[in-house]
C-alpha cells in the first residue's frame, strides 16, 4: 500500500505489518501511484523508481530520472522484462531493465507525463498534457521507444489508457466543460469512436464487451459513472 511517505506490506490474512519502506514524497507532490508486483519484486516511482524484494522490503535497485522530477499519479508498467515509468513535469517516460534498473530508452512528450502506461503486443501507450490546453496520446515500440503513432486531443489526456484486443480506451479532462472517452485503433491511432463524459482522469475498465469509466470532480463537475458498448461506443447506462 502507498502510505504517502512509505510503502507498507501487510500480511494478506491477518493485516499485520510485515515491512515498510520509506521514500521521499516532498517537493513535487509525489502521490497517487499504485505499487506493482512482478517476479517476487515490488516496483514504484516517487522521487526515484524503486525495486524492492517483496519478501522483506529490501532495495534491489533504484533509478533516478535525469530530469530529477517526481512521478505524479503514474505507476510503473511491466512487461517483457521492461519497466516503463514517468516523471510528470520532467516530460519523459523511461524504459528500464527489470533486473538491473538500467535505462534502455526514454521518450519525450509534450506536457506532463502522468499516465500509467499500457503495454500490449509489443507496444506502449501513454500521454502528455498541458493545463487546459489539450495534449497528445502516443504509441511506441517497447523494444526501442520509437514512435509508431500519436494523435492530438482537444482536452487533456491526464488519465491512463486501457487496451483490449486492438483498441485503446482513454479519457480526457476538460477544465472548462465536458471531457471525452476515446476508443483508438492500437494499430494506427485512428479514432474508432468518441463520446462526451464528465471530465475524467480515470482509467477505463473493459470487460465482456463493455467499457466502464468514472468522471467528474466534486465541486466542479457532475460525478457520473458510465457504461459504453466497447465496439460501437453506444451509451448503455449512466449513474
Amino acid at each position: 500500500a502507498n502510505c504517502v511517505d512509505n510503502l507498507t506490506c501487510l500480511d494478506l490474512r491477518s493485516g499485520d505489518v510485515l515491512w515498510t519502506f520509506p521514500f521521499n514524497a516532498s517537493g513535487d507532490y509525489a502521490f497517487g501511484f499504485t505499487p506493482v508486483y512482478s517476479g517476487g519484486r515490488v516496483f514504484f516511482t516517487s522521487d526515484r523508481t524503486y525495486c524492492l524484494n517483496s519478501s522483506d522490503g529490501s532495495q534491489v535497485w533504484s533509478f533516478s530520472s535525469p530530469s530529477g522530477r517526481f512521478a505524479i499519479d503514474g505507476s510503473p508498467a511491466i512487461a517483457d522484462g521492461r519497466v516503463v515509468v514517468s516523471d510528470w513535469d520532467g516530460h519523459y517516460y523511461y524504459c528500464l531493465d527489470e533486473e538491473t534498473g538500467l535505462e534502455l530508452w526514454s521518450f519525450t512528450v509534450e506536457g506532463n507525463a502522468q499516465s500509467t502506461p499500457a503495454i500490449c503486443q509489443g507496444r506502449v501507450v501513454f500521454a502528455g498534457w498541458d493545463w487546459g490546453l489539450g495534449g497528445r496520446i502516443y504509441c511506441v515500440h517497447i523494444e526501442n521507444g520509437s514512435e509508431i503513432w500519436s494523435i492530438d486531443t482537444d482536452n487533456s489526456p491526464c488519465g491512463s489508457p486501457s487496451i483490449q484486443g486492438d483498441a485503446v480506451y482513454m479519457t480526457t479532462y476538460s477544465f472548462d466543460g465536458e471531457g471525452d472517452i476515446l476508443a483508438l485503433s492500437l494499430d494506427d491511432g485512428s479514432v474508432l469512436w468518441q463520446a462526451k463524459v464528465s471530465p475524467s482522469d480515470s482509467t477505463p475498465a473493459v470487460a465482456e464487451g463493455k467499457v466502464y469509466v468514472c468522471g467528474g470532480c466534486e465541486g466542479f463537475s457532475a460525478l457520473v459513472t458510465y457504461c459504453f458498448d466497447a465496439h460501437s461506443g453506444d451509451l448503455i447506462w449512466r449513474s
Side-chain angles (χ1 to χ4, degrees):
N2 172 2
C3 296
V4 182
D5 60 3
N6 72 82
L7 199 70
T8 297
C9 178
L10 308 176
D11 183 274
L12 179 64
R13 293 174 178 81
S14 68
D16 292 341
V17 175
L18 301 179
W19 52 260
T20 61
F21 184 89
F23 59 84
N24 180 10
S26 64
D28 285 357
Y29 311 106
F31 63 83
F33 70 79
T34 300
V36 178
Y37 174 89
S38 177
R41 295 176 175 180
V42 178
F43 302 79
F44 69 94
T45 303
S46 58
D47 58 326
R48 306 171 67 92
T49 295
Y50 294 92
C51 172
L52 310 180
N53 187 312
S54 64
S55 62
D56 60 10
S58 59
Q59 181 174 309
V60 179
W61 55 256
S62 72
F63 166 80
S64 181
S65 68
S67 70
R69 309 304 285 172
F70 287 50
I72 292 184
D73 284 348
S75 303
I78 303 174
D80 303 329
R82 293 164 183 255
V83 183
V84 185
V85 300
S86 60
D87 67 357
W88 205 61
D89 62 353
H91 317 299
Y92 282 94
Y93 289 88
Y94 302 92
C95 181
L96 313 177
D97 183 277
E98 184 177 357
E99 286 299 313
T100 65
L102 293 176
E103 181 182 332
L104 302 177
W105 53 260
S106 65
F107 188 92
T108 309
V109 298
E110 298 175 16
N112 300 309
Q114 182 166 306
S115 303
T116 296
I119 304 174
C120 185
Q121 301 178 32
R123 300 180 176 207
V124 188
V125 180
F126 45 67
W129 66 280
D130 274 320
W131 294 99
L133 300 176
R136 197 164 184 86
I137 300 173
Y138 302 84
C139 177
V140 305
H141 287 288
I142 194 171
E143 282 298 317
N144 56 22
S146 60
E147 183 176 315
I148 301 171
W149 55 259
S150 64
I151 67 161
D152 288 320
T153 58
D154 293 332
N155 294 314
S156 299
C158 48
S160 300
S162 296
I163 302 174
Q164 181 71 33
D166 294 323
V168 178
Y169 301 93
M170 191 164 191
T171 62
T172 64
Y173 195 98
S174 171
F175 292 85
D176 184 27
E178 291 182 303
D180 308 281
I181 178 169
L182 299 166
L184 308 175
S185 165
L186 178 61
D187 181 53
D188 60 11
S190 58
V191 178
L192 305 176
W193 57 262
Q194 182 172 351
K196 290 295 181 184
V197 295
S198 201
S200 178
D201 64 356
S202 68
T203 305
V206 189
E208 299 179 351
K210 297 180 176 66
V211 181
Y212 304 87
V213 63
C214 297
C217 180
E218 189 169 8
F220 294 93
S221 51
L223 306 181
V224 188
T225 298
Y226 303 86
C227 174
F228 293 94
D229 183 286
H231 178 71
S232 67
D234 292 338
L235 178 65
I236 299 173
W237 55 256
R238 54 176 285 161
S239 174

